[in-house]
Amino acid sequence: MIISIGLFSIVMLISVGALLVLVTANRKAQATQSVMNNLNIALDAMVRSIREGSNYHCGSGDATAAKDCDSNVGVDGGDTIFAFKPFSAASASQRWIYSYSGGRIYKQEDVNATPIPITAQEVLIDSMRFYVVGTTQGDQYQPKVLIVIKGTVGAKADAKVRSTFNIQATAVQRILDL
């Protein structure tokens, strides 16, 4: 009887330990999925608003003037700031600005507005570049924006599981630019 109880205790101890490991792994997977969903929603919203916008401007300077930035610009090419006239613009000078700074993506709905982060703190974006081509009116190219993001999920210091990701998204202006 003592041997049976001892064997049963050992089997139960191993089974409970395995169950706890599975529960912990499931929680980590759900947290990672939640963070990636946040990033995907932010990126989808960016692409949708960029696609419906016009007068693309990449980089700093006068955001009301169209400006390309492709792989020939700068050391890494592209830029971390992108501005455009939104579809719902109340005035011709209104611009939305997406930017990358300090590991997060920010959005401004006006040149003078305060940037608002649109990604969760759990997502550490290591680099983000906008590549824009075709902004010159009548150049036979439809304006196109390529967004390249590289980063880490679970980037906090106390995170036990970290996953890297590389995401690209392309938005082509819907308004014909001939």
Side-chain angles (χ1 to χ4, degrees):
M1 182 71 137
I2 293 174
I3 294 173
S4 299
I5 291 174
L7 287 174
F8 178 75
S9 298
I10 291 171
V11 168
M12 288 306 295
L13 185 64
I14 292 171
S15 298
V16 169
L19 181 63
L20 290 175
V21 167
L22 287 173
V23 167
T24 302
N26 184 37
R27 285 185 184 153
K28 289 177 185 175
Q30 286 179 349
T32 300
Q33 181 67 34
S34 175
V35 169
M36 289 307 295
N37 283 343
N38 171 267
L39 180 62
N40 286 332
I41 288 170
L43 189 59
D44 284 346
M46 283 175 59
V47 168
R48 185 174 42 257
S49 61
I50 290 169
R51 186 180 308 129
E52 293 175 355
S54 61
N55 198 16
Y56 297 164
H57 176 90
C58 186
S60 57
D62 180 14
T64 60
K67 180 182 172 190
D68 284 358
C69 62
D70 59 15
S71 60
N72 297 325
V73 178
V75 177
D76 295 328
D79 208 311
T80 59
I81 300 172
F82 174 73
F84 65 100
K85 179 183 170 195
F87 177 73
S88 61
S91 69
S93 63
Q94 183 181 2
R95 296 289 178 263
W96 282 9
I97 301 169
Y98 288 108
S99 60
Y100 160 73
S101 176
R104 296 184 74 185
I105 301 172
Y106 292 87
K107 177 183 178 182
Q108 289 176 256
E109 291 193 4
D110 192 326
V111 176
N112 299 320
T114 302
I116 300 169
I118 60 172
T119 53
Q121 292 177 337
E122 293 79 13
V123 180
L124 177 63
I125 298 174
D126 300 322
S127 70
M128 178 176 173
R129 307 296 285 182
F130 294 98
Y131 299 91
V132 181
V133 295
T135 60
T136 305
Q137 185 103 19
D139 63 357
Q140 299 181 356
Y141 295 104
Q142 188 67 6
K144 177 172 59 173
V145 179
L146 173 66
I147 305 166
V148 179
I149 303 173
K150 297 176 184 177
T152 308
V153 174
K156 287 187 173 181
D158 60 346
K160 294 179 182 175
V161 176
R162 296 174 190 226
S163 301
T164 59
F165 60 86
N166 294 308
I167 298 176
Q168 291 184 6
T170 303
V172 177
Q173 178 179 296
R174 284 191 178 172
I175 301 170
L176 275 178
D177 180 50
L178 299 175

